[in-house]
């Protein structure tokens, strides 16, 4: 497997990881916004305890609100809906499931000693 | 042919109606002892709750029958074929039909003369008069009618006891487990229950039980069974049963071929039937025979479903069987049991207390092969498998309507909703317990669209509401694990959040519920196009002091917010960033403001005109009423937002008819309009009730709102909801209590009112809930750099972010 930039993968040691918050700071199925090197990122914790990080900007409205969307599933895929007009994005690939031409950037995540970390390079 | 009918109750009415419908050309004379034409005895209790005697009267049977009221048949001369009345009137007949019903049994105990019975409108007048000077009541008999009478006494303000000789309440309808759950309900309502003991005597102001207990009793009501009124037949030498009842054959004919007996006075196949369904069926058979037909009555379904003291109680089919499956939830007060054959393949009968859904859906399947496992069937309708009925299955047993007839009404006569089905088939027009079944048949016939909320739940919002209510579910995770799939979405999560809030109260940001809320509810504010929020404090009725106006002004100035007056007579403050919301609200809460719930699917405002306090045209205090209503319903979560208004006179300055509920003052009270809407599809509210007192107004709105909350679809405003269910049906349910749920609706609203708290105050006081109000988890102090404003007309306005999709 090669690093895809989309999920935690081999090669992680070479990345720069930025601590975001304590694992417990995130409510399951709710997101939070983080500021990483000037970029806004939305981090989510799903019901099964996995973490995802995507861009916080809703490409449809231009507002930085993805972290405030409702988290759920569509056909087993973890997703978030933008709170503005409810377009649904995959948390795994960032792709808008209603409009595959549009996607959010995604970022690898990992938990180290109870701290959620994201890599943005 | 000359037909004489003795007695004018429901059975006599059905007989005359059937004869008329089938073109009978002879003469009909009906002689009734009561001073009024036949009325709906089943709905008798509603008389005490304000239904007029006129409203209870059954519709004109449509025959040119001669009706003699207030006179009694005292003698039948079979030789001369005449009847004689108490007033000395003599009437010849070719056919005589006895439809004399039955009389309450009065046990021969000392003092019995002091007690009342519960059978006619006059009985209720007497009970009401006696209750006016009393504080305590005792009902003797804990059966179906006894509990109904007990509820009536309670409604008249008496501390009420029920005395039942059997070992538990309603021993003829439910088993011991059901009796225990029922007793729990009854006792929670404040009634005292004595079982396993009879009555020894009645004295002035008290009764003494066989076990020596003495109970204060200003009013005593006997409801210890009925006896067929067969005295005319006895005197005329016709055979009667050992325990009463005029013996008839399958054609409802007595031993004298010129005399028939129908209804509760008849003994058919060795049974006396005490339910209106079989009585009607007998009347139809007798009418057919008189007209030369060969219809026969071979027994009837004795299933019963009632709403007693706000509790569903139902039993159907056989109440014993080789195998049974029981579901019991003593906390929620639900008990359900199904009896199945020893091979577990055939449904024999069932009992339900606290939730009658299985009754509605499963009763028609008695004697048939099961379509799912018994335990799944116990949840039928509330998320269980859909039960498909064969064509000959009875759906409405009051009016003998089968599934096939309903199917035909849909397919051939174009009925597309429940009211149309009622009109075409008469199904659902008596006790109303089959209305849910009618709705589900419409759905099964493809008339209604797919109700699935989303890919996670196959249920409609109202079905989910019932599942949550009946099963006492308090978390989304349990609901979706047991009744759905996946982890939900932006459609079902807010719906479930709203249902949980309606049923359970509690804070919308508590525990798991926080994750269900749409962003507005999650931040208790309204998101705007640039990701900032607006803040709307509650200003009940639009009335506000200068001091409070100044506070709003100062807060807006200090946080640099854009300020605008809303259409609902309050003030909206725009441009707040998430981290500012708690600071803004701390100031507002300290100044005595509460959440305005502008962000929720909830009551928004109750607008008002200035009313009689100032206006020279006003006839009533519209501001006072608007404030009272707004405070009562604030925080009430509903399928969609709710708006209301109160106008102080017919000039209607508050535009109440554009609201979900609108109140307009009249010289003598308040008129209540419902189902109005501005918005996309404007609609004027329709008049639901007129000239209501303050209390009646509030009770009507309570029920309207709670019924809406229970049964509307997701995001269905009251206007669309009323178009679906019909204004008449709505009125039947909340004014006439046709579904028997009003006590439940009232209790639900009391819970809401009692459980209200200001959710913004609770939030600013709880550090745990405040944690979400940060711009960035890793940089809580840094404002969102993407939020930029410019100035327009001296206030801020968002700088449009350029939309480019990556
Ligand atoms: C409070 C209450 C609640 C009920 N609830 C339900 C329910 O939920 N479901 C259900 O299925 N059933 C219910 N019932 C029972 C139902 O009302 C009866 O089954 C039904 O009324 C029987 O109709 P009927 O015409 O045979 O007799 P009745 O209704 O008793 O009518 C007989 C009429 O004949 C008159 N009469 C008697 N003798 C003479 C005479 N010699 N000359 C002239 N007139 C005479 C009587 O005064 C009476 O008006 C309830 C009854 C009561 C009292």
């Amino acid at each position: 497997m090669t690093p895809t930039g989309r999920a935690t993968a081999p090669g992680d040691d070479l990345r720069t990881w930025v601590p975001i918050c304590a694992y417990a700071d995130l409510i399951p199925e709710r997101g939070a916004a983080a500021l990483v090197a000037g970029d806004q990122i939305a981090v989510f914790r799903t019901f099964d305890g996995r973490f995802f990080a995507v861009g916080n900007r809703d490409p449809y409205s231009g507002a930085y609100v993805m972290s405030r969307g409702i988290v759920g599933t569509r056909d087993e895929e973890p997703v978030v809906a933008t709170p503005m007009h409810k377009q649904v994005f995959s948390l795994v690939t960032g792709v808008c499931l209603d409009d595959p031409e549009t996607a959010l950037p995604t970022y690898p995540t990992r938990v180290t000693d109870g701290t959620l970390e994201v890599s943005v390079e | 042919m000359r037909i004489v009918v003795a007695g004018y109750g429901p059975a006599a009415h059905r007989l005359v109606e059937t004869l008329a419908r089938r073109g009978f050309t002879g003469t009909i004379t009906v002689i009734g002892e009561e001073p009024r034409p036949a009325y709906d005895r089943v709905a008798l209790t509603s008389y005490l709750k304000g239904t007029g005697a006129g409203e209870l009267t059954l519709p004109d049977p449509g025959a040119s029958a001669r009706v003699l009221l207030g006179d009694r048949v005292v003698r039948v001369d079979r030789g001369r074929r005449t009847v004689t009345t108490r007033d000395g009137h003599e009437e010849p007949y070719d056919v005589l039909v006895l439809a004399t019903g039955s009389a309450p049994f009065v046990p021969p105990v000392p003092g019995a003369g002091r007690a009342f019975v519960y059978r006619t409108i006059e009985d209720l007048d007497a009970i009401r008069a006696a209750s006016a000077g009393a504080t305590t009541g005792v009902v003797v008999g804990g059966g179906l009618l006894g509990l109904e009478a007990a509820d009536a006494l309670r409604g008249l303000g008496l501390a009420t006891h029920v005395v039942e000789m059997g070992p538990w309440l309603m021993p003829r309808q439910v088993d011991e487990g059901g009796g225990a759950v029922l007793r729990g309900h009854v006792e929670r309502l404040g009634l005292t229950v004595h079982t396993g003991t009879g009555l020894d005597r009645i004295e002035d102001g008290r009764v003494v039980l066989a076990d020596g207990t003495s109970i204060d009793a200003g009013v005593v009501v006997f409801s210890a069974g009925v006896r067929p009124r067969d005295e005319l037949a006895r005197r005329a030498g016709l055979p009667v049963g050992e325990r009463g009842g005029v013996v008839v054959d399958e054609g409802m004919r007595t031993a004298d071929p010129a005399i028939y007996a129908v209804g509760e006075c008849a003994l058919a196949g060795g049974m006396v039937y005490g339910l209106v369904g079989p009585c009607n069926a007998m009347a139809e058979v007798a009418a057919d025979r008189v007209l030369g037909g060969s219809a026969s009555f071979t027994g009837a379904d004795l299933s019963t479903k009632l709403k007693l003291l706000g509790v569903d109680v139902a039993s159907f089919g056989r109440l014993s069987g080789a195998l049974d499956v029981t579901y019991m939830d003593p906390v929620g007060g639900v008990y359900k049991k199904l009896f199945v054959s020893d091979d577990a393949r055939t449904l024999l009968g069932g009992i339900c207390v606290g939730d009658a859904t299985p009754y509605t859906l499963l009763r028609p399947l008695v004697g048939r092969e099961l379509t799912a496992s018994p335990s799944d069937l116990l949840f039928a309708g509330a998320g269980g498998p859909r039960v498909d009925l064969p064509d000959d299955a009875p759906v409405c047993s009051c009016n003998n309507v089968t599934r096939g007839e309903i199917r035909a009404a849909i397919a051939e006569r174009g009925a597309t909703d429940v009211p149309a089905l009622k009109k075409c088939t008469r199904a659902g027009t008596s006790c109303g317990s089959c209305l849910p079944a009618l709705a589900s048949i419409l759905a099964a016939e493809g008339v209604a669209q797919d109700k699935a909320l989303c890919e996670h739940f196959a249920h409609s919002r109202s079905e989910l509401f019932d599942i949550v209510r009946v099963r006492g579910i308090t978390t989304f995770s349990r609901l979706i694990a047991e009744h759905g799939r996946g982890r939900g979405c932006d459609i079902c999560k807010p719906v479930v959040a709203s249902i949980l809030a309606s049923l359970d109260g509690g804070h919308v940001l508590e525990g798991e519920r926080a994750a269900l809320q749409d962003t507005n509810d999650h931040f208790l504010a309204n998101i705007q196009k640039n990701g900032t929020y607006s803040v709307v404090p509650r200003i009940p009725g639009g009335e506000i002091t200068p001091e409070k106006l100044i506070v709003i002004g100062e807060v807006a100035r200090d946080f640099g917010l854009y300020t605008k007056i809303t259409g609902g007579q309050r003030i909206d403050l725009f441009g707040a960033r998430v981290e500012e919301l708690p600071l803004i609200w701390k100031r507002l809460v300290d100044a005595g403001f509460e959440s305005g719930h502008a962000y929720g699917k909830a009551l928004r405002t109750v607008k008002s005109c200035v009313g009689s306090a100032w206006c020279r045209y006003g006839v009533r205090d519209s501001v006072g009423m608007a404030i009272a209503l707004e405070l009562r319903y604030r925080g009430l979560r509903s399928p969609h937002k709710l708006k209301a208004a109160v106008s102080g006179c017919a000039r209607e300055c508050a535009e109440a008819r554009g609201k979900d509920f609108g109140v307009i003052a009249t010289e003598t009270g308040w008129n209540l309009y419902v189902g109005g809407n501005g918005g996309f599809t404007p609609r004027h509210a329709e008049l639901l009730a007129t000239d209501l007192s303050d209390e009646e107004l509030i009770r009507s709105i309570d029920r309207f709102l709670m019924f809406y909350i229970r049964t509307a679809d997701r995001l269905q405003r009251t206007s669309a909801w009323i178009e679906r269910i019909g204004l008449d049906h709505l009125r039947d349910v909340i004014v006439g209590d046709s579904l028997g749920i009003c006590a439940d609706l009232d209790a639900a609203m009391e819970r809401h009112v009692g459980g209200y708290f200001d959710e913004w105050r609770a939030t600013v006081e709880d550090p745990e809930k405040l944690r979400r109000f940060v711009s960035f988890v890793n940089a809580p102090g840094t404002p969102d750099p993407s939020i930029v404003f410019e100035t327009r007309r001296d206030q801020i306005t968002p700088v449009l972010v350029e939309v480019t999709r990556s």
Side-chain angles (χ1 to χ4, degrees), chain B residues 7-80:
Chain B
Y8 197 18
H13 179 268
R14 179 57 64 91
L15 177 92
V16 176
E17 189 186 56
T18 310
L19 288 170
R21 189 160 43 84
R22 299 203 21 199
F24 176 73
T25 51
T27 64
I28 306 175
T29 305
V30 184
I31 304 169
E33 178 187 45
E34 291 186 65
R36 61 189 87 251
Y39 55 91
D40 184 2
R41 205 177 302 289
V42 172
L44 184 65
T45 298
S46 67
Y47 179 68
L48 287 180
K49 299 176 185 155
T51 305
E55 288 170 71
L56 287 177
T57 304
L58 294 172
D60 184 278
S64 50
R66 196 156 60 99
V67 180
L68 309 179
L69 295 175
D71 198 1
R72 181 186 341 158
V73 176
V74 289
R75 213 171 77 84
V76 177
D77 185 333
R78 290 168 53 196
R80 290 175 53 231

Side-chain angles (χ1 to χ4, degrees), chain B residues 397-440:
Chain B
S397 50
C398 296
N399 296 291
N400 298 310
V401 185
T402 62
R403 159 78 204 235
E405 291 167 60
I406 291 176
R407 193 198 300 274
I410 296 170
E412 290 151 30
R413 299 168 69 184
T416 53
D417 56 12
V418 172
L421 281 180
K422 288 168 82 171
K423 214 164 163 185
C424 288
T425 65
R426 263 219 284 230
T429 53
S430 299
C431 78
S433 70
C434 62
L435 291 175
L438 297 182
S440 63

